[in-house]
Structures are given as structure tokens and as C-alpha cells.
């Protein structure tokens, strides 16, 4: 993935129906890239789709042709603040090191992204592949800390083990390296936000209590994938029942 990944994502969303050039503003410009040219003047690459073909127009103050545009800023004009929030959330989660976008499954996203491929229909996030070589296991293990924390909150608050945890459990079972620190950090953040505490009694073992003062029980051998990852991160050694 390179700096133009947001651009590729815009094209995918355009084909998915988010931006229809017929509904764009009077200039017919769904989106553009703004930045500085090699002559250090403001420049813009205006992009639009015409009959499934990309049309690009260069624009700057002097009117001289330019070959480079740096310090890029993606500019999009949408119909409503709701659409802006959806796109902002999507772009904010993008990482140039990853070949995917993890989208929150809102009704709006599901509607406009319907025609586009996804890596799994039952995951908590909708994973939009930006490369034909991307695999779901790689996507899950490289989620941002914020996204990982959201998965933990679903587990703690709703008692549901999202499909993403199944892939993480498989990665652990295979002994494949993965960013352990970020998953442990997201777990600690989720524990704090959910009001869950882990105690270690003098007689040994450990106990997990939720914010309502109710003890939570977890089992490594027979529990869900989320339980296994939770216990593995707390206790790298083989875990028993809490």
C-alpha cells in the first residue's frame, strides 16, 4: 500500500454508490487531492468517474503543468454530515502498512459497500481488501489498538466472541508471530473502561470481577476464542479455569 491507498478506496466507494457524479456539486467533482507542487505552489488533482472511467484534471494558481504533488490532502464533498462521519471513521482507521480497511458495520456502510467484496460476512468489522493478496488472519492481527479495544468491549459487555478472535486463536495455536503488545494494550484499556478488575488472592490463583461486583469465570480449554486469548495475554503460561 502506498500514499494513494485513500485514492483507491475512494474509487471503490465510487463504484459502490457512495459518490454518484450525477449527484455531485455543479462542478461535477466527487473528490480531489490537494497539496503542493514541485514549484511550491498549491495544486489540485480533481477526480471524477464518467461511465466507469476515471477522469483527472490538474489545477493550480499559475496554470502551469506540474508533475508532482506532495503533502497530500484528500478533499471530498458529501451530501450530509452522516456521510462525512462514515468516511472520516474509515480513513482514520487506514494504515499505509496494511492492505485492508476495517469498517464499522453501520447500516449506511453495509448499503453503500454491498457490491464490493469483503473477507468474511460474519466478522464484527467489515474488512475491505485493498489488494488481492490480503488474508483475513493478517487483517485481524494488524488491527489498530482502537479497533482491538472495540472487540474486547463486545466480549466484556455483550458476552460475544467476535469471529476476529477465532482467527487470533488460530494464530496463537500455530505459533505465528503477531503484535502481542498492541493486543495486550487494547485489553488493558478495555478492562479499565469496562470496570473489570483482575485480583490475585493470597491463597493463589486469580479472580476476575466486573463493574457490578459479579465474578466472571473463564475457561481456557473449553471457552470461546475470546476467552482463550484473554487468558493467554494475562498468563502466557497455560491457563486453567478462573
Amino acid at each position: 500500500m502506498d500514499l494513494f491507498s485513500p485514492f483507491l478506496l475512494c474509487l471503490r466507494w465510487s463504484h459502490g454508490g457512495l459518490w454518484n457524479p450525477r449527484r455531485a456539486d455543479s462542478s461535477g467533482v466527487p473528490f480531489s487531492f490537494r497539496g503542493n507542487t514541485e514549484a511550491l505552489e498549491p495544486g489540485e488533482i480533481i477526480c471524477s468517474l464518467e461511465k466507469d472511467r476515471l477522469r483527472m484534471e490538474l489545477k493550480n494558481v499559475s496554470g502551469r503543468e506540474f508533475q508532482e504533488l506532495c503533502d497530500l490532502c484528500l478533499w471530498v464533498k458529501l451530501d450530509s454530515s452522516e456521510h462525512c462521519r462514515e468516511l472520516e471513521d474509515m480513513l482514520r482507521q487506514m494504515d499505509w502498512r496494511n492492505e485492508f480497511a476495517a469498517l464499522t458495520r453501520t447500516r449506511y456502510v453495509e448499503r453503500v459497500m454491498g457490491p464490493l467484496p469483503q473477507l468474511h460476512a460474519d466478522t464484527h468489522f467489515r474488512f475491505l481488501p485493498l489488494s488481492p493478496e490480503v488474508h483475513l488472519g493478517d487483517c485481524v492481527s494488524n488491527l489498530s489498538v482502537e479497533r482491538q479495544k472495540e472487540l474486547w468491549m463486545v466480549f466484556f459487555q455483550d458476552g460475544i466472541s467476535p469471529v476476529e478472535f477465532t482467527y487470533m486463536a488460530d494464530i496463537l495455536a500455530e505459533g505465528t508471530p503477531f503484535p502481542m503488545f498492541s493486543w495486550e494494550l487494547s485489553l488493558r484499556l478495555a478492562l479499565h473502561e469496562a470496570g473489570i478488575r483482575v485480583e490475585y488472592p493470597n491463597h493463589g490463583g486469580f479472580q476476575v470481577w466486573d463493574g457490578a461486583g459479579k465474578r466472571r469465570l473463564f475457561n481456557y480449554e473449553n471457552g470461546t476464542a475470546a476467552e482463550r486469548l484473554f487468558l493467554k495475554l494475562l498468563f502466557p503460561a497455560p491457563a486453567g479455569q478462573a
Side-chain angles (χ1 to χ4, degrees):
M1 181 180 294
D2 55 26
L3 291 176
F4 280 89
S5 292
F7 172 68
L8 298 176
L9 192 56
C10 286
L11 291 181
R12 290 174 182 268
W13 272 57
S14 297
H15 284 291
L18 176 61
W19 298 311
N20 185 338
R22 296 177 182 176
R23 294 188 292 106
D25 62 0
S26 58
S27 64
V29 180
F31 57 92
S32 67
F33 289 95
R34 298 180 177 184
N36 294 318
T37 70
E38 65 268 25
L40 300 181
E41 68 171 336
E44 184 176 10
I45 302 176
I46 303 172
C47 308
S48 60
L49 289 172
E50 297 180 357
K51 297 181 180 179
D52 292 332
R53 299 188 66 178
L54 176 64
R55 180 177 182 272
M56 303 179 69
E57 177 185 353
L58 305 184
K59 181 180 179 181
N60 58 3
V61 176
S62 66
R64 294 192 298 267
E65 184 177 353
F66 57 89
Q67 301 296 325
E68 298 179 7
L69 194 65
C70 60
D71 300 325
L72 291 179
C73 172
L74 175 64
W75 182 88
V76 181
K77 183 174 182 179
L78 300 176
D79 296 335
S80 68
S81 58
E82 175 194 0
H83 296 181
C84 290
R85 287 192 298 270
E86 298 282 356
L87 181 60
E88 178 187 8
D89 177 69
M90 177 176 60
L91 294 179
R92 186 164 49 85
Q93 293 297 331
M94 292 189 66
D95 188 328
W96 65 271
R97 296 166 294 185
N98 296 328
E99 298 285 350
F100 67 91
L103 312 180
T104 301
R105 288 187 183 275
T106 63
R107 182 168 57 181
Y108 175 73
V109 167
E110 291 297 292
R111 176 172 61 84
V112 300
M113 300 297 285
L116 300 181
Q118 59 177 319
L119 295 179
H120 197 294
D122 297 324
T123 49
H124 178 74
F125 299 112
R126 182 180 181 121
F127 289 94
L128 175 66
L130 301 178
S131 165
E133 305 298 328
V134 68
H135 301 287
L136 186 54
D138 297 330
C139 296
V140 173
S141 63
N142 288 288
L143 282 171
S144 67
V145 171
E146 182 180 0
R147 289 303 205 209
Q148 294 172 14
K149 175 188 168 186
E150 184 174 335
L151 293 175
W152 286 119
M153 293 301 293
V154 170
F155 172 56
F156 291 137
Q157 295 182 337
D158 302 327
I160 298 174
S161 178
V163 173
E164 285 87 340
F165 283 120
T166 301
Y167 282 85
M168 288 305 302
D170 292 342
I171 291 174
L172 278 174
E174 295 169 358
T176 304
F178 76 99
M180 179 78 78
F181 174 77
S182 65
W183 278 93
E184 183 172 356
L185 174 60
S186 64
L187 171 60
R188 299 292 179 179
L189 293 173
L191 287 172
H192 177 75
E193 183 170 324
I196 295 177
R197 66 185 190 277
V198 181
E199 297 181 350
Y200 304 90
N202 294 331
H203 55 75
F206 69 97
Q207 297 176 352
V208 181
W209 302 85
D210 63 19
K214 181 179 179 181
R215 187 178 177 186
R216 302 282 294 270
L217 301 178
F218 301 96
N219 188 285
Y220 187 84
E221 296 298 331
N222 302 313
T224 64
E227 289 182 66
R228 295 197 299 274
L229 183 60
F230 170 70
L231 294 173
K232 186 67 175 179
L233 291 175
L234 285 182
F235 310 100
Q241 185 174 0

